Amino acid sequence: MQFIKHLWFITLICAIASTKATSFSFLHAYILPRNFMDLPKEDRALLRDLILLNHPPEDWRQGNPQRPNPDPTYDVVIIGAGMAGLTAGAALFKEGIFHIKLFDQSPQGLEGPWKTYARMRTLRSVKDIMGPALGIPHLTFHAWFEALFGAEAWKQLGKIPNDLWMDYLKWYRHAMQLPIENHCTLVSLIPMQECFELEFQQLGQPLLVKARKVVLATGRAGFGGPVIPNFVKHLPKSVYAHTTENIDFEALKNRRIGIIGVGASSFDAAAVALETGVKSVDLIMRRNHLPNVNKFSSLPYKGFNYGYCQLSDEKRWQFMLAAFDAAIPPPMEALKRVEGNSNLRILSNTSISQISYEDSQISIETNRGLYSYDFLILGTGFHIDGYQQPELQHVIDHIALWKDRLPYEIIKTHPKMGDFPYLGPSFEFLPKKPGTAPYLKNLYCYNYGATLSHGLLSSDIPAISIGATRLAQGIAADFFVQESDWFLQCLKEYQEKDFEQEDYLFIIE
Ligand SMILES: Cc1cc2nc3c(=O)[nH]c(=O)nc-3n(C[C@H](O)[C@H](O)[C@H](O)COP(=O)(O)OP(=O)(O)OC[C@H]3O[C@@H](n4cnc5c(N)ncnc54)[C@H](O)[C@@H]3O)c2cc1C
């Protein structure tokens, strides 16, 4: 009975699968190995959405003699299989670009911060965000969660626990059949005549890959890395760690911890430290009060997401200046987690002048006096400085930055913002000197570095689908332009008749 009820659907799937003359085996991957009804509920619901959307689309570049079959050069390689990389990959499939590959340095299931250095209990975002779903209803976290746990559990859910979000991303990767290679760190990227040569380190072995286009979906630290202040660099590495590092809190039991910075990650680290049983935690900040207005929270509305990149350079600068200058407050959940803990102090108005290390003790000289700790945690955030990315060493000199495009009078209002890359309309890098480094149009910055050029489309959850769609559509359009001679020739040679004259009884005079 159950089978008959769904027979129409299975027939529909088979019909669609058989009409798709494509090398892409999305539907086959579902249909051949298993009966449709054996699929988990969440996969079935998604598959129905995809069929209704006529997904996958045709491989509209198939047959181009410039693309041999098999083609040793990927059309697009995405570096990073975190949320942004996954969404970009799925968005490329949606636009009919299938010869792609994602590479991530992390083991499978540990991409991004969620199961590694994200120390909050739940996401900061609200639960009903579209996130990476690209407008496909059953690709949302909401649909996935309800299929697994039911509608009542959804009602009861407050914010999304980190682990669950990562499980959702793992399902997303499987459900959208994304081709991902883990344990691969991109170490160099060399522009060649018609492609890039990428060198990865894969478990100690070099791996060479060629790609026509490369998308850097390398996350918050992807255009500069974590900020390690100069004043700690002379300390033994065993006595300090950035919040993005793995920290053995068990080993810090009964120790005095100093945390520099009061952002979300600092408070999360303080909470874990206190819960594990450290002796004390000091959070050290230069400001005289905790920032409590997150200007960025006011931004992800549709008009901003769509229109920000169309603003003049000066206007975009003003928007981001207003948001960055206000600083980003710690979330309420993080504050509540440590509130009232007598082992926690927040040291305001505190500027560090020097740090020394002697007899296993870190001494910090400040304008408020001397403080001593056993271990320091750096909640100092991320640099924007492409020169810190080893993989960009062959191209970084040619990449246009905001400080190359705006007069110094404007840049000096926030010099660090001047180091953001100045990107084109589809997240592509642009050359410092117009007309040089033509390969840059095939290199896309889809990480936090895109913030000044595109707003919040590349490294936060709410508008990631808008960003990935912009990126994928830009890539599709560019492939069309690059291969337009062949498409024009195809048009001229196109002879498929819609009907045969003799089949119809018309008098054509
Ligand atoms: C602790 C924390 C909590 C956050 N909470 C929220 C939230 O609640 N809501 C929200 O909207 N945003 C949040 N964000 C911001 C944002 O959503 C996350 O940073 C998210 O992970 C961004 O996805 P991403 O794919 O851009 O980066 P990531 O998830 O960091 O993925 C980047 C991937 O690139 C890989 N990579 C980097 N360099 C290389 C290389 N050279 N070679 C190969 N692979 C490489 C990394 O291994 C990583 O897996 C949070 C960020 C952090 C750090």
Side-chain angles (χ1 to χ4, degrees), residues 78-87 102-107 110-114 116-120 122-126 129 159-160 162 165-166 169 181-188 199-201 216-222 243-244 264-265 268 331 382 389-391 446-448 456 458-464:
I78 300 175
I79 311 299
M83 175 186 68
L86 299 181
T87 318
L102 288 80
F103 293 89
D104 199 294
Q105 63 196 5
S106 306
L110 292 182
E111 300 90 351
W114 313 110
T116 50
Y117 66 89
R119 299 187 176 91
M120 69 281 186
T122 63
L123 296 199
R124 313 194 199 292
S125 300
V126 291
I129 28 174
K159 288 192 168 175
I160 302 171
N162 295 355
W165 181 250
M166 189 67 221
L169 291 177
E181 192 93 19
N182 286 92
H183 298 287
C184 290
T185 305
L186 178 67
V187 290
S188 97
E199 191 191 331
F200 293 91
Q201 274 297 315
L216 302 174
T218 41
R220 289 251 151 173
T243 50
T244 54
S265 297
D268 293 338
F382 303 101
Q389 297 298 134
E391 72 276 14
Y446 194 50
N447 56 31
Y448 182 61
L456 309 182
S458 61
S459 63
D460 282 332
I461 300 170
I464 198 76

Side-chain angles (χ1 to χ4, degrees), residues 275-403:
E275 286 159 12
T276 316
V278 299
K279 186 170 182 186
S280 64
V281 172
D282 282 353
L283 286 153
I284 303 168
M285 65 174 177
R286 275 188 301 236
R287 293 172 186 264
N288 59 12
H289 67 283
L290 283 178
N292 61 357
V293 176
N294 186 353
K295 298 257 183 189
F296 283 103
S297 301
S298 74
L299 286 179
Y301 45 90
K302 299 279 182 198
F304 175 78
N305 289 333
Y306 297 135
Y308 172 80
C309 72
Q310 295 175 20
L311 295 174
S312 68
D313 293 348
E314 289 79 4
K315 195 53 109 16
R316 281 189 283 177
W317 184 272
Q318 284 170 25
F319 263 88
M320 284 303 156
L321 185 65
F324 278 120
D325 263 359
I328 302 176
M332 258 163 34
E333 292 85 358
L335 293 179
K336 281 202 182 112
R337 208 168 149 192
V338 294
E339 187 190 7
N341 194 313
S342 56
N343 296 330
L344 175 82
R345 287 190 301 184
I346 297 176
L347 306 179
S348 61
N349 272 324
T350 307
S351 298
I352 297 173
S353 48
Q354 210 182 329
I355 302 189
S356 56
Y357 182 70
E358 215 178 314
D359 297 334
S360 305
Q361 181 164 293
I362 303 164
S363 303
I364 301 191
E365 276 176 43
T366 76
N367 56 327
R368 292 182 50 180
L370 196 69
Y371 295 94
S372 296
Y373 302 105
D374 302 306
F375 194 81
L376 278 186
I377 296 178
L378 309 173
T380 39
F382 303 101
H383 268 305
I384 285 295
D385 178 5
Y387 284 90
Q388 304 297 324
Q389 297 298 134
E391 72 276 14
L392 293 182
Q393 59 180 306
H394 297 289
V395 296
I396 188 67
D397 281 340
H398 302 285
I399 287 176
L401 306 176
W402 273 75
K403 66 184 176 196

Side-chain angles (χ1 to χ4, degrees), residues 127-301:
K127 64 179 174 182
D128 43 12
I129 28 174
M130 179 174 69
L134 295 166
I136 303 169
H138 287 93
L139 191 56
T140 55
F141 176 84
H142 186 159
W144 172 81
F145 181 92
E146 274 200 5
L148 286 181
F149 306 107
E152 190 49 41
W154 174 256
K155 273 193 221 152
Q156 301 300 326
L157 182 72
K159 288 192 168 175
I160 302 171
N162 295 355
D163 279 4
L164 213 51
W165 181 250
M166 189 67 221
D167 289 347
Y168 160 70
L169 291 177
K170 276 166 31 192
W171 171 75
Y172 184 104
R173 158 196 185 133
H174 141 83
M176 295 308 286
Q177 306 278 319
L178 291 166
I180 302 175
E181 192 93 19
N182 286 92
H183 298 287
C184 290
T185 305
L186 178 67
V187 290
S188 97
L189 175 151
I190 300 175
M192 314 282 281
Q193 189 69 21
E194 304 215 308
C195 64
F196 291 99
E197 189 174 82
L198 308 173
E199 191 191 331
F200 293 91
Q201 274 297 315
Q202 184 179 33
L203 301 172
Q205 299 295 320
L207 171 72
L208 291 181
V209 166
K210 286 187 175 157
R212 296 187 177 89
K213 289 177 178 288
V214 176
V215 174
L216 302 174
T218 41
R220 289 251 151 173
F223 200 78
V227 173
I228 311 293
N230 280 334
F231 55 62
V232 299
K233 283 184 179 161
H234 65 286
L235 301 179
K237 185 63 193 74
S238 55
V239 297
Y240 72 91
H242 191 270
T243 50
T244 54
E245 290 179 70
N246 183 18
I247 301 173
D248 182 359
F249 285 97
E250 284 292 326
L252 298 178
K253 271 186 177 167
N254 301 317
R255 302 291 177 88
R256 300 157 304 161
I257 312 298
I259 300 184
I260 299 172
V262 290
S265 297
S266 295
F267 271 90
D268 293 338
V272 177
L274 292 166
E275 286 159 12
T276 316
V278 299
K279 186 170 182 186
S280 64
V281 172
D282 282 353
L283 286 153
I284 303 168
M285 65 174 177
R286 275 188 301 236
R287 293 172 186 264
N288 59 12
H289 67 283
L290 283 178
N292 61 357
V293 176
N294 186 353
K295 298 257 183 189
F296 283 103
S297 301
S298 74
L299 286 179
Y301 45 90

